[in-house]
Amino acid sequence: MSNRLQLAASASLIALIFLCLSWELWLAPLKPGGSWMAAKSFPLLLPLFGILKGRRYSYQVSSLLALLYLLEGSVRATSDAGPSQWLAVIETLLALVFFVSVVAYARLSAPSRTPQD
């Protein structure tokens, strides 16, 4: 079960990074030619290696970070129009999958829940 959660968290995090970059640079940037809003993907790079290695602390911290992207996606999904609105819906879904998987992984990997030898 924890392997599936780790895979879901890793895949959704990587997809969220690529979505944020491509959204603000090519797909629907705020300004033609790209915008500095692409920098919103940089905080997602901080926990990336910890998530890929299965470090519990990275999962705990990432759960708080995921909420920011969930919030931004839901706000832009209701306020933007056109392609930006659909990209915001995708961001919301990816952030939701990421949030649920990191919280579930952190909960399952708690020292009180792991089998003792």
Side-chain angles (χ1 to χ4, degrees), residues 14-37:
I14 291 169
L16 192 58
I17 291 169
F18 282 117
L19 175 72
C20 290
L21 281 174
S22 60
W23 179 0
E24 298 300 340
L25 293 177
W26 302 290
L27 299 175
L30 291 175
K31 296 178 184 177
S35 70
W36 279 98
M37 281 291 288

PDB file of all heavy atoms in Angstrom, residues 14-37:
ATOM      1  N   ILE A  14       5.594  15.364  -9.797  1.00  0.00           N
ATOM      2  CA  ILE A  14       6.323  15.629 -11.043  1.00  0.00           C
ATOM      3  C   ILE A  14       5.383  16.222 -12.089  1.00  0.00           C
ATOM      4  O   ILE A  14       5.730  17.183 -12.789  1.00  0.00           O
ATOM      5  CB  ILE A  14       7.006  14.341 -11.535  1.00  0.00           C
ATOM      6  CG1 ILE A  14       8.133  13.973 -10.576  1.00  0.00           C
ATOM      7  CG2 ILE A  14       7.533  14.506 -12.957  1.00  0.00           C
ATOM      8  CD1 ILE A  14       8.716  12.600 -10.796  1.00  0.00           C
ATOM      9  N   ALA A  15       4.164  15.690 -12.178  1.00  0.00           N
ATOM     10  CA  ALA A  15       3.191  16.229 -13.121  1.00  0.00           C
ATOM     11  C   ALA A  15       2.815  17.664 -12.763  1.00  0.00           C
ATOM     12  O   ALA A  15       2.648  18.519 -13.649  1.00  0.00           O
ATOM     13  CB  ALA A  15       1.952  15.351 -13.151  1.00  0.00           C
ATOM     14  N   LEU A  16       2.709  17.952 -11.477  1.00  0.00           N
ATOM     15  CA  LEU A  16       2.375  19.311 -11.034  1.00  0.00           C
ATOM     16  C   LEU A  16       3.499  20.286 -11.368  1.00  0.00           C
ATOM     17  O   LEU A  16       3.243  21.419 -11.787  1.00  0.00           O
ATOM     18  CB  LEU A  16       2.086  19.295  -9.534  1.00  0.00           C
ATOM     19  CG  LEU A  16       1.446  20.521  -8.910  1.00  0.00           C
ATOM     20  CD1 LEU A  16       0.116  20.839  -9.578  1.00  0.00           C
ATOM     21  CD2 LEU A  16       1.225  20.296  -7.423  1.00  0.00           C
ATOM     22  N   ILE A  17       4.731  19.858 -11.221  1.00  0.00           N
ATOM     23  CA  ILE A  17       5.873  20.703 -11.580  1.00  0.00           C
ATOM     24  C   ILE A  17       5.844  21.023 -13.071  1.00  0.00           C
ATOM     25  O   ILE A  17       5.958  22.185 -13.485  1.00  0.00           O
ATOM     26  CB  ILE A  17       7.202  20.032 -11.184  1.00  0.00           C
ATOM     27  CG1 ILE A  17       7.350  19.982  -9.673  1.00  0.00           C
ATOM     28  CG2 ILE A  17       8.388  20.769 -11.816  1.00  0.00           C
ATOM     29  CD1 ILE A  17       8.492  19.109  -9.182  1.00  0.00           C
ATOM     30  N   PHE A  18       5.673  19.995 -13.898  1.00  0.00           N
ATOM     31  CA  PHE A  18       5.636  20.213 -15.344  1.00  0.00           C
ATOM     32  C   PHE A  18       4.430  21.034 -15.771  1.00  0.00           C
ATOM     33  O   PHE A  18       4.521  21.860 -16.676  1.00  0.00           O
ATOM     34  CB  PHE A  18       5.673  18.879 -16.091  1.00  0.00           C
ATOM     35  CG  PHE A  18       7.045  18.287 -16.162  1.00  0.00           C
ATOM     36  CD1 PHE A  18       7.311  17.075 -15.553  1.00  0.00           C
ATOM     37  CD2 PHE A  18       8.075  18.936 -16.815  1.00  0.00           C
ATOM     38  CE1 PHE A  18       8.578  16.516 -15.605  1.00  0.00           C
ATOM     39  CE2 PHE A  18       9.345  18.391 -16.878  1.00  0.00           C
ATOM     40  CZ  PHE A  18       9.600  17.181 -16.274  1.00  0.00           C
ATOM     41  N   LEU A  19       3.296  20.835 -15.114  1.00  0.00           N
ATOM     42  CA  LEU A  19       2.110  21.619 -15.442  1.00  0.00           C
ATOM     43  C   LEU A  19       2.331  23.094 -15.132  1.00  0.00           C
ATOM     44  O   LEU A  19       2.020  23.965 -15.955  1.00  0.00           O
ATOM     45  CB  LEU A  19       0.884  21.106 -14.690  1.00  0.00           C
ATOM     46  CG  LEU A  19      -0.378  21.949 -14.886  1.00  0.00           C
ATOM     47  CD1 LEU A  19      -0.932  21.746 -16.286  1.00  0.00           C
ATOM     48  CD2 LEU A  19      -1.413  21.621 -13.840  1.00  0.00           C
ATOM     49  N   CYS A  20       2.868  23.389 -13.956  1.00  0.00           N
ATOM     50  CA  CYS A  20       3.091  24.786 -13.573  1.00  0.00           C
ATOM     51  C   CYS A  20       4.072  25.473 -14.520  1.00  0.00           C
ATOM     52  O   CYS A  20       3.853  26.620 -14.917  1.00  0.00           O
ATOM     53  CB  CYS A  20       3.597  24.870 -12.132  1.00  0.00           C
ATOM     54  SG  CYS A  20       2.359  24.456 -10.902  1.00  0.00           S
ATOM     55  N   LEU A  21       5.125  24.770 -14.888  1.00  0.00           N
ATOM     56  CA  LEU A  21       6.100  25.353 -15.814  1.00  0.00           C
ATOM     57  C   LEU A  21       5.507  25.578 -17.199  1.00  0.00           C
ATOM     58  O   LEU A  21       5.627  26.674 -17.765  1.00  0.00           O
ATOM     59  CB  LEU A  21       7.334  24.459 -15.912  1.00  0.00           C
ATOM     60  CG  LEU A  21       8.331  24.558 -14.774  1.00  0.00           C
ATOM     61  CD1 LEU A  21       9.421  23.514 -14.942  1.00  0.00           C
ATOM     62  CD2 LEU A  21       8.939  25.944 -14.712  1.00  0.00           C
ATOM     63  N   SER A  22       4.887  24.558 -17.750  1.00  0.00           N
ATOM     64  CA  SER A  22       4.364  24.686 -19.107  1.00  0.00           C
ATOM     65  C   SER A  22       3.187  25.657 -19.168  1.00  0.00           C
ATOM     66  O   SER A  22       3.027  26.377 -20.160  1.00  0.00           O
ATOM     67  CB  SER A  22       3.962  23.321 -19.654  1.00  0.00           C
ATOM     68  OG  SER A  22       2.974  22.733 -18.847  1.00  0.00           O
ATOM     69  N   TRP A  23       2.385  25.717 -18.134  1.00  0.00           N
ATOM     70  CA  TRP A  23       1.246  26.632 -18.089  1.00  0.00           C
ATOM     71  C   TRP A  23       1.721  28.076 -18.209  1.00  0.00           C
ATOM     72  O   TRP A  23       1.222  28.835 -19.025  1.00  0.00           O
ATOM     73  CB  TRP A  23       0.496  26.403 -16.797  1.00  0.00           C
ATOM     74  CG  TRP A  23      -0.712  27.256 -16.541  1.00  0.00           C
ATOM     75  CD1 TRP A  23      -1.229  28.234 -17.337  1.00  0.00           C
ATOM     76  CD2 TRP A  23      -1.557  27.186 -15.407  1.00  0.00           C
ATOM     77  NE1 TRP A  23      -2.347  28.774 -16.763  1.00  0.00           N
ATOM     78  CE2 TRP A  23      -2.571  28.148 -15.572  1.00  0.00           C
ATOM     79  CE3 TRP A  23      -1.560  26.411 -14.265  1.00  0.00           C
ATOM     80  CZ2 TRP A  23      -3.582  28.349 -14.644  1.00  0.00           C
ATOM     81  CZ3 TRP A  23      -2.562  26.607 -13.341  1.00  0.00           C
ATOM     82  CH2 TRP A  23      -3.572  27.572 -13.524  1.00  0.00           C
ATOM     83  N   GLU A  24       2.679  28.447 -17.396  1.00  0.00           N
ATOM     84  CA  GLU A  24       3.101  29.852 -17.352  1.00  0.00           C
ATOM     85  C   GLU A  24       4.145  30.222 -18.403  1.00  0.00           C
ATOM     86  O   GLU A  24       4.396  31.399 -18.623  1.00  0.00           O
ATOM     87  CB  GLU A  24       3.620  30.190 -15.957  1.00  0.00           C
ATOM     88  CG  GLU A  24       2.583  30.054 -14.866  1.00  0.00           C
ATOM     89  CD  GLU A  24       1.360  30.944 -15.038  1.00  0.00           C
ATOM     90  OE1 GLU A  24       1.426  31.956 -15.770  1.00  0.00           O
ATOM     91  OE2 GLU A  24       0.321  30.623 -14.442  1.00  0.00           O
ATOM     92  N   LEU A  25       4.745  29.244 -19.045  1.00  0.00           N
ATOM     93  CA  LEU A  25       5.729  29.554 -20.085  1.00  0.00           C
ATOM     94  C   LEU A  25       5.160  29.431 -21.498  1.00  0.00           C
ATOM     95  O   LEU A  25       5.521  30.228 -22.371  1.00  0.00           O
ATOM     96  CB  LEU A  25       6.964  28.661 -19.934  1.00  0.00           C
ATOM     97  CG  LEU A  25       7.807  28.903 -18.696  1.00  0.00           C
ATOM     98  CD1 LEU A  25       8.957  27.908 -18.630  1.00  0.00           C
ATOM     99  CD2 LEU A  25       8.333  30.324 -18.665  1.00  0.00           C
ATOM    100  N   TRP A  26       4.279  28.435 -21.741  1.00  0.00           N
ATOM    101  CA  TRP A  26       3.838  28.196 -23.116  1.00  0.00           C
ATOM    102  C   TRP A  26       2.334  28.108 -23.290  1.00  0.00           C
ATOM    103  O   TRP A  26       1.795  28.658 -24.238  1.00  0.00           O
ATOM    104  CB  TRP A  26       4.455  26.895 -23.646  1.00  0.00           C
ATOM    105  CG  TRP A  26       5.940  26.909 -23.610  1.00  0.00           C
ATOM    106  CD1 TRP A  26       6.768  27.654 -24.399  1.00  0.00           C
ATOM    107  CD2 TRP A  26       6.767  26.167 -22.738  1.00  0.00           C
ATOM    108  NE1 TRP A  26       8.076  27.416 -24.059  1.00  0.00           N
ATOM    109  CE2 TRP A  26       8.108  26.494 -23.036  1.00  0.00           C
ATOM    110  CE3 TRP A  26       6.531  25.248 -21.728  1.00  0.00           C
ATOM    111  CZ2 TRP A  26       9.185  25.934 -22.373  1.00  0.00           C
ATOM    112  CZ3 TRP A  26       7.597  24.701 -21.075  1.00  0.00           C
ATOM    113  CH2 TRP A  26       8.904  25.044 -21.397  1.00  0.00           C
ATOM    114  N   LEU A  27       1.649  27.375 -22.443  1.00  0.00           N
ATOM    115  CA  LEU A  27       0.245  27.048 -22.703  1.00  0.00           C
ATOM    116  C   LEU A  27      -0.702  28.241 -22.563  1.00  0.00           C
ATOM    117  O   LEU A  27      -1.497  28.506 -23.459  1.00  0.00           O
ATOM    118  CB  LEU A  27      -0.202  25.897 -21.799  1.00  0.00           C
ATOM    119  CG  LEU A  27       0.557  24.586 -21.978  1.00  0.00           C
ATOM    120  CD1 LEU A  27       0.111  23.562 -20.950  1.00  0.00           C
ATOM    121  CD2 LEU A  27       0.348  24.057 -23.388  1.00  0.00           C
ATOM    122  N   ALA A  28      -0.664  28.928 -21.447  1.00  0.00           N
ATOM    123  CA  ALA A  28      -1.550  30.073 -21.208  1.00  0.00           C
ATOM    124  C   ALA A  28      -0.888  31.054 -20.248  1.00  0.00           C
ATOM    125  O   ALA A  28      -1.381  31.286 -19.144  1.00  0.00           O
ATOM    126  CB  ALA A  28      -2.884  29.601 -20.657  1.00  0.00           C
ATOM    127  N   PRO A  29       0.245  31.662 -20.651  1.00  0.00           N
ATOM    128  CA  PRO A  29       0.929  32.577 -19.735  1.00  0.00           C
ATOM    129  C   PRO A  29       0.132  33.866 -19.519  1.00  0.00           C
ATOM    130  O   PRO A  29      -0.706  34.239 -20.344  1.00  0.00           O
ATOM    131  CB  PRO A  29       2.249  32.868 -20.455  1.00  0.00           C
ATOM    132  CG  PRO A  29       1.969  32.634 -21.892  1.00  0.00           C
ATOM    133  CD  PRO A  29       0.915  31.555 -21.933  1.00  0.00           C
ATOM    134  N   LEU A  30       0.405  34.523 -18.404  1.00  0.00           N
ATOM    135  CA  LEU A  30      -0.261  35.793 -18.129  1.00  0.00           C
ATOM    136  C   LEU A  30       0.157  36.860 -19.134  1.00  0.00           C
ATOM    137  O   LEU A  30      -0.646  37.706 -19.512  1.00  0.00           O
ATOM    138  CB  LEU A  30       0.064  36.260 -16.705  1.00  0.00           C
ATOM    139  CG  LEU A  30      -0.541  35.426 -15.583  1.00  0.00           C
ATOM    140  CD1 LEU A  30      -0.054  35.913 -14.229  1.00  0.00           C
ATOM    141  CD2 LEU A  30      -2.059  35.469 -15.641  1.00  0.00           C
ATOM    142  N   LYS A  31       1.421  36.830 -19.544  1.00  0.00           N
ATOM    143  CA  LYS A  31       1.942  37.762 -20.547  1.00  0.00           C
ATOM    144  C   LYS A  31       2.433  36.954 -21.741  1.00  0.00           C
ATOM    145  O   LYS A  31       2.940  35.854 -21.575  1.00  0.00           O
ATOM    146  CB  LYS A  31       3.112  38.565 -19.976  1.00  0.00           C
ATOM    147  CG  LYS A  31       2.753  39.464 -18.830  1.00  0.00           C
ATOM    148  CD  LYS A  31       3.988  40.179 -18.323  1.00  0.00           C
ATOM    149  CE  LYS A  31       3.647  41.004 -17.106  1.00  0.00           C
ATOM    150  NZ  LYS A  31       4.836  41.657 -16.555  1.00  0.00           N
ATOM    151  N   PRO A  32       2.294  37.487 -22.956  1.00  0.00           N
ATOM    152  CA  PRO A  32       2.819  36.759 -24.124  1.00  0.00           C
ATOM    153  C   PRO A  32       4.323  36.503 -23.987  1.00  0.00           C
ATOM    154  O   PRO A  32       5.077  37.370 -23.565  1.00  0.00           O
ATOM    155  CB  PRO A  32       2.526  37.697 -25.293  1.00  0.00           C
ATOM    156  CG  PRO A  32       1.427  38.581 -24.814  1.00  0.00           C
ATOM    157  CD  PRO A  32       1.606  38.706 -23.326  1.00  0.00           C
ATOM    158  N   GLY A  33       4.740  35.302 -24.318  1.00  0.00           N
ATOM    159  CA  GLY A  33       6.153  34.950 -24.212  1.00  0.00           C
ATOM    160  C   GLY A  33       6.546  34.365 -22.873  1.00  0.00           C
ATOM    161  O   GLY A  33       7.697  34.026 -22.651  1.00  0.00           O
ATOM    162  N   GLY A  34       5.599  34.227 -21.964  1.00  0.00           N
ATOM    163  CA  GLY A  34       5.900  33.652 -20.652  1.00  0.00           C
ATOM    164  C   GLY A  34       5.888  34.705 -19.559  1.00  0.00           C
ATOM    165  O   GLY A  34       5.955  35.896 -19.830  1.00  0.00           O
ATOM    166  N   SER A  35       5.789  34.251 -18.342  1.00  0.00           N
ATOM    167  CA  SER A  35       5.764  35.180 -17.214  1.00  0.00           C
ATOM    168  C   SER A  35       6.567  34.606 -16.050  1.00  0.00           C
ATOM    169  O   SER A  35       6.924  33.434 -16.029  1.00  0.00           O
ATOM    170  CB  SER A  35       4.326  35.450 -16.779  1.00  0.00           C
ATOM    171  OG  SER A  35       3.770  34.313 -16.163  1.00  0.00           O
ATOM    172  N   TRP A  36       6.814  35.471 -15.080  1.00  0.00           N
ATOM    173  CA  TRP A  36       7.548  35.051 -13.885  1.00  0.00           C
ATOM    174  C   TRP A  36       6.714  34.155 -12.980  1.00  0.00           C
ATOM    175  O   TRP A  36       7.224  33.616 -12.007  1.00  0.00           O
ATOM    176  CB  TRP A  36       8.028  36.277 -13.111  1.00  0.00           C
ATOM    177  CG  TRP A  36       9.268  36.848 -13.693  1.00  0.00           C
ATOM    178  CD1 TRP A  36       9.361  37.902 -14.551  1.00  0.00           C
ATOM    179  CD2 TRP A  36      10.593  36.372 -13.497  1.00  0.00           C
ATOM    180  NE1 TRP A  36      10.670  38.109 -14.896  1.00  0.00           N
ATOM    181  CE2 TRP A  36      11.451  37.193 -14.257  1.00  0.00           C
ATOM    182  CE3 TRP A  36      11.143  35.333 -12.761  1.00  0.00           C
ATOM    183  CZ2 TRP A  36      12.815  36.997 -14.294  1.00  0.00           C
ATOM    184  CZ3 TRP A  36      12.504  35.150 -12.796  1.00  0.00           C
ATOM    185  CH2 TRP A  36      13.326  35.972 -13.547  1.00  0.00           C
ATOM    186  N   MET A  37       5.444  33.985 -13.317  1.00  0.00           N
ATOM    187  CA  MET A  37       4.608  33.073 -12.534  1.00  0.00           C
ATOM    188  C   MET A  37       5.105  31.636 -12.643  1.00  0.00           C
ATOM    189  O   MET A  37       4.722  30.780 -11.849  1.00  0.00           O
ATOM    190  CB  MET A  37       3.153  33.152 -13.010  1.00  0.00           C
ATOM    191  CG  MET A  37       2.388  34.346 -12.485  1.00  0.00           C
ATOM    192  SD  MET A  37       2.071  34.225 -10.724  1.00  0.00           S
ATOM    193  CE  MET A  37       0.829  32.952 -10.696  1.00  0.00           C
TER     194      MET A  37
END
